[in-house]
Amino acid sequence: MSLVQITIVGYIAKDPEEKFTPNAKKVLEFSIAHKNRKEETEWFNCTVWNEKRIESLGWLAKGMGVYVTGELTVTAKDDKVYRNVNVDKLQVISGKQASTEEEYF
Amino acid sequence: MSLVQITIVGYIAKDPEEKFTPNAKKVLEFSIAHKNRKEETEWFNCTVWNEKRIESLGWLAKGMGVYVTGELTVTAKDDKVYRNVNVDKLQVISGKQASTEEEYF
Amino acid sequence: MSLVQITIVGYIAKDPEEKFTPNAKKVLEFSIAHKNRKEETEWFNCTVWNEKRIESLGWLAKGMGVYVTGELTVTAKDDKVYRNVNVDKLQVISGKQASTEEEYF
Amino acid sequence: MSLVQITIVGYIAKDPEEKFTPNAKKVLEFSIAHKNRKEETEWFNCTVWNEKRIESLGWLAKGMGVYVTGELTVTAKDDKVYRNVNVDKLQVISGKQASTEEEYF
C-alpha cells in the first residue's frame, strides 16, 4: 500500500464555481496557478466533492491564499499536461478572516 | 508566491542507482510505484541531488518503505505521463533499522 | 492567519476504542507511539470526531501502519507532556488491504 | 519505525537571530505565532542547524510569510508548554520575492 498526497499553498485564481458532474453530483471547482523552478506556470484544477464542505465554502473567493491538500491526477493530451486535485483539506491563510469553523472541515 | 509539494509513502521498487547528469553531477535515482484510486500504477522517479545526502544513503535498497517529500515535475510524451520528484526529504519507515543520523538529512 | 498541521506515520498501539464525550458525542480514539531522536517514546492520542468517518473505520485495528494528519494539542501536567491529535485524514499503509473507499474519507 | 513531522504556515514574528550553542555551533532562530481553535496563541521556536542553509537565509526577516516543516520537540516547565522546531524545510510564501535558489535548500 502506498500514499501520494499533494500540498499546495497559493492563491485562488478566480471565483470558485459550483458545477454538476454528468450524474448530477454537485462539486465545487477552483484553480491555483503555481510558478515552478523554471518560471513556467502550472495550473492546478481543484475539486471539492463533499456536499457538506461545499455548502460551508460559499464564502471562498478569488484572491484568497489557501493551503490545500489532496490527491493529484495528471492526464496528458497532445503532450500537454493537465493537473486535477481532489481536495481533502482546505484552509484559508490570507485574504479573509474566516472563522475557525469555516476553515476546518 | 506559491508552493507545491508532493508527499509519497511507498516502497522502493529496485535498488537505487548513482548516475551522472550530462554536466557530470552525481545524482541518486530510485522509483516508487503507487496504485491510484482507479487501480492504475503511477511511477514516481525520484532523484536526490545533494552530494552529501547521496553519500549518506549508500544503504538505501529495494523494498524499503520510505516517506519522501519533494518537488514534482510532470512531463508528457505521446500522451503518456512521466512523474519526476526532486527529493528534499527522505526517511525510511520500514525494512531497515536505520540510525536516526542516517534517516534525517 | 496561520496553520499548524502534524503528520504521523506509525503503528496503532492497541485496538481503537469508541468513547463518548461528556455531551454524548461519539468519538473514536487510538494512539501511536513514536521514538524521537533521543530514543524517548512520545505518545500521540488520536481522536476521530466525524461520525460518518467513525462508522467507516470499524475495521481499524492494533498493529496497522497508518498515515495520519491533524491538529496537535499539547498540554502539560506536573511537567509531563500530553499530545492529542484531532485527526483530519487517516490512511492505512500497511497491515490490511483496505479498499480505497475505506481508506479515504 | 515511525515519523512525526510538523508543518507550519505563518509569519515570522521578529527578525531571525544567529546564536551559538554551548559547543559553539552557529544556529539561526526565529519564531512563529499560531492562534489555535481556542484562540490561544501557541509559539513555535524554530531553529535552522545546517550552516550552509543559515548562510543562504541572511535575507529572512520579520513579517515574511513562511512554509516550514520540521521536527517538533515539546517540553513542559511549571505546566507551561514550550514548542521547538528543528527546521528541515523553509520556503517564503509572502513578503519578499525571494529567488528560487534562495527559497529551496
Side-chain angles (χ1 to χ4, degrees), chain B residues 4 32 38 72 75 79 87 90 100:
Chain B
V4 175
I32 299 174
K38 295 180 182 165
L72 176 70
T75 50
D79 290 354
V87 176
L90 184 155
T100 306

Side-chain angles (χ1 to χ4, degrees), chain C residues 1-11 32-38 42 44 71-81 83 86, chain D residues 1-11 32-38 42 44 71-81 83 86:
Chain C
M1 278 174 279
S2 56
L3 169 151
V4 175
Q5 182 185 272
I6 191 114
T7 301
I8 305 173
V9 182
Y11 297 91
I32 299 174
H34 170 64
K35 242 183 204 156
N36 65 20
R37 244 174 225 267
K38 295 177 181 166
E42 299 178 353
F44 291 86
E71 193 182 359
L72 176 70
T73 306
V74 182
T75 51
K77 207 183 159 183
D78 301 335
D79 289 355
K80 225 191 131 208
V81 166
R83 295 166 178 85
N86 185 338
Chain D
M1 277 174 279
S2 56
L3 168 151
V4 175
Q5 182 185 272
I6 191 113
T7 302
I8 305 173
V9 181
Y11 298 91
I32 298 174
H34 170 64
K35 243 183 205 157
N36 66 19
R37 244 174 225 267
K38 294 178 182 166
E42 299 178 354
F44 291 85
E71 193 181 359
L72 176 70
T73 306
V74 182
T75 51
K77 207 184 161 183
D78 301 333
D79 289 354
K80 225 192 131 206
V81 167
R83 295 167 179 84
N86 186 337

Side-chain angles (χ1 to χ4, degrees), chain A:
Chain A
M1 277 174 281
S2 57
L3 169 150
V4 174
Q5 183 186 270
I6 191 115
T7 301
I8 305 173
V9 181
Y11 298 91
I12 293 183
K14 53 178 191 171
D15 283 335
E17 286 180 87
E18 284 187 13
K19 293 193 178 169
F20 289 87
T21 64
N23 51 349
K25 173 136 185 38
K26 185 160 73 176
V27 296
L28 185 71
E29 293 187 355
F30 60 90
S31 53
I32 298 174
H34 170 64
K35 242 184 203 157
N36 67 19
R37 244 175 224 267
K38 294 180 183 165
E39 298 291 312
E40 298 155 348
T41 299
E42 298 179 354
W43 284 93
F44 291 84
N45 302 306
C46 302
T47 306
V48 179
W49 286 83
N50 186 295
E51 205 147 339
K52 260 183 116 171
R53 290 181 188 178
I54 294 172
E55 279 166 34
S56 74
L57 289 170
W59 48 271
L60 199 67
K62 181 182 170 177
M64 289 180 183
V66 290
Y67 173 93
V68 168
T69 64
E71 193 183 359
L72 176 69
T73 306
V74 182
T75 50
K77 206 183 160 184
D78 300 335
D79 290 355
K80 226 191 131 207
V81 167
Y82 298 86
R83 297 167 177 83
N84 296 290
V85 177
N86 186 338
V87 176
D88 58 34
K89 180 174 181 165
L90 183 155
Q91 189 173 336
V92 171
I93 52 172
S94 73
K96 178 172 176 292
Q97 192 62 46
S99 83
T100 306
E101 283 315 304
E102 286 172 329
E103 283 179 40
Y104 282 93
F105 63 84

Side-chain angles (χ1 to χ4, degrees), chain B residues 9-76:
Chain B
V9 181
Y11 298 91
I12 294 183
K14 52 178 191 171
D15 283 337
E17 286 180 89
E18 285 187 12
K19 293 193 179 169
F20 289 86
T21 65
N23 52 347
K25 170 133 188 40
K26 186 162 73 177
V27 297
L28 185 70
E29 293 187 356
F30 61 89
S31 52
I32 299 174
H34 169 63
K35 243 184 204 157
N36 66 19
R37 244 174 224 264
K38 295 180 182 165
E39 298 292 312
E40 298 156 347
T41 299
E42 299 178 354
W43 283 94
F44 291 85
N45 302 306
C46 301
T47 306
V48 180
W49 286 83
N50 186 294
E51 205 148 340
K52 260 183 116 171
R53 291 182 188 177
I54 293 172
E55 280 167 32
S56 74
L57 290 170
W59 48 271
L60 199 67
K62 180 182 170 176
M64 289 179 183
V66 289
Y67 173 93
V68 168
T69 64
E71 192 182 0
L72 176 70
T73 306
V74 181
T75 50

